[in-house]
């Protein structure tokens, strides 16, 4: 709160005291400061990556909504919204990662979405937002099986997630056995 005007995380303070906030800005700063670079090599490739970065961050809201809606119908609506967004990505996923064989910033940005969708699927398999989207499903699997993604969360994160949605008294919490 003392250093971020938004009062939200993430926030980074550089060694020389400058403050950066907003995930996309921080990710691009870190990408520029620490090779190898995760954004495309050419100005056009970087612009396209930024465009898709913006698009995939738009999936965060619906994923978090899935944690808090209180009826099954609301839940299905949220999952259909997520599926619609994944449908737009389907034809542009090069595979196995977004831009092909190399893990990039678009992949790193969508990793938390896919991680949370995997938690959701452990509780409620229907509707499956990946249904009929083989590229998006394969992309999710490639990201979720990457060791850096697996090691980026606490070992007991699924239990923490279940406790969190139980406190919210969401519909998804009713699916915990």
């Amino acid at each position: 709160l003392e250093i971020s005007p938004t009062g939200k995380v993430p926030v980074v303070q550089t060694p020389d005291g400058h403050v950066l906030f907003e995930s996309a800005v921080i990710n691009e700063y870190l990408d520029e400061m620490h090779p190898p670079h995760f954004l495309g090599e050419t100005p056009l490739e970087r612009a396209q990556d930024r465009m898709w970065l913006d698009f995939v961050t738009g999936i965060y809201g619906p994923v978090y909504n899935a944690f808090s809606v209180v009826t099954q119908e609301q839940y299905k609506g949220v999952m259909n919204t997520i599926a619609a967004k994944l449908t737009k990505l389907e034809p542009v996923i090069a595979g196995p990662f977004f831009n092909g064989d190399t893990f990039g910033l678009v992949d790193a940005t969508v990793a938390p979405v896919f991680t949370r969708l995997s938690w959701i699927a452990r509780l409620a398999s229907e509707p499956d937002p990946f249904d009929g989207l083989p590229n998006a499903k394969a992309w999710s699997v490639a990201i979720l099986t990457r060791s850096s993604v697996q090691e980026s969360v606490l070992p007991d994160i699924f239990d923490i997630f279940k406790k969190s949605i139980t406190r919210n008294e969401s519909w998804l919490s009713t699916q915990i056995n």
Side-chain angles (χ1 to χ4, degrees), residues 129-145:
F130 294 100
D131 192 33
L133 303 172
N135 294 338
K137 180 62 177 173
W139 183 31
S140 175
V141 169
I143 288 173
L144 293 175
T145 56

Side-chain angles (χ1 to χ4, degrees), residues 4-60:
S4 174
T6 63
K8 299 187 295 188
V9 294
V11 62
V12 169
Q13 191 165 19
T14 66
D16 59 359
H18 291 93
V19 173
L20 301 173
F21 57 94
E22 296 302 326
S23 296
V25 173
I26 293 168
N27 285 342
E28 285 193 44
Y29 170 78
L30 293 173
D31 186 53
E32 289 178 19
M33 296 301 293
H34 304 282
H37 300 295
F38 283 167
L39 284 174
E41 293 182 22
T42 69
L44 178 60
E45 289 170 339
R46 287 190 298 275
Q48 290 173 323
D49 281 350
R50 287 181 183 107
M51 175 180 70
W52 289 112
L53 284 166
D54 185 63
F55 185 86
V56 299
T57 58
I59 305 173
Y60 278 69

Side-chain angles (χ1 to χ4, degrees), residues 136-163:
K137 180 62 177 173
W139 183 31
S140 175
V141 169
I143 288 173
L144 293 175
T145 56
R146 187 177 164 86
S147 62
S148 63
V149 172
Q150 293 175 351
E151 293 166 6
S152 71
V153 296
L154 297 169
D156 60 344
I157 193 66
F158 185 64
D159 292 329
I160 294 168
F161 165 69
K162 290 189 300 185
K163 288 177 186 172

